[in-house]
Amino acid sequence: MGSQPDELKAEVEDTRAHPARDVDRLADRVAPGKVARRKAGAARHRLTGARERVMGAAGGPPADAFRRSAEAGRARPGGTPVRAVLRRR
């Protein structure tokens, strides 16, 4: 702690500024519009992650599950293509 009056004043002002900053941060966190914006952003982030796990990232290769289903749809065991079976119905 400083012994000079100017140093003491600076420390007191700094100490007083912290609670004001904390109150501003709390008010910012509980503002209804900002809460809604944060919730919407979090939901968007979760949905984007789920979509990328299912479909693959944009511009990237398809997800592994999609590739396997496409390969499985080309032919069934025994050699009869699935499309031929579906056309018969």
Side-chain angles (χ1 to χ4, degrees):
M1 191 175 240
S3 59
Q4 301 296 326
D6 291 336
E7 290 176 358
L8 290 174
K9 281 184 181 180
E11 287 181 27
V12 168
E13 288 174 10
D14 190 47
T15 303
R16 287 182 181 161
H18 288 294
R21 198 175 320 134
D22 292 342
V23 169
D24 290 342
R25 287 180 184 168
L26 286 172
D28 193 45
R29 287 183 59 91
V30 297
K34 293 191 180 190
V35 170
R37 226 174 278 120
R38 280 194 307 272
K39 295 287 185 182
R44 190 176 307 111
H45 179 72
R46 285 191 306 272
L47 288 173
T48 299
R51 183 185 68 211
E52 287 178 356
R53 283 192 300 276
V54 171
M55 299 177 68
D64 192 43
F66 179 75
R67 183 183 52 76
R68 283 185 296 197
S69 67
E71 289 171 358
R74 289 189 192 119
R76 295 185 332 172
T80 308
V82 173
R83 290 187 196 118
V85 172
L86 293 176
R87 285 185 199 144
R88 292 181 197 160
R89 292 183 183 174

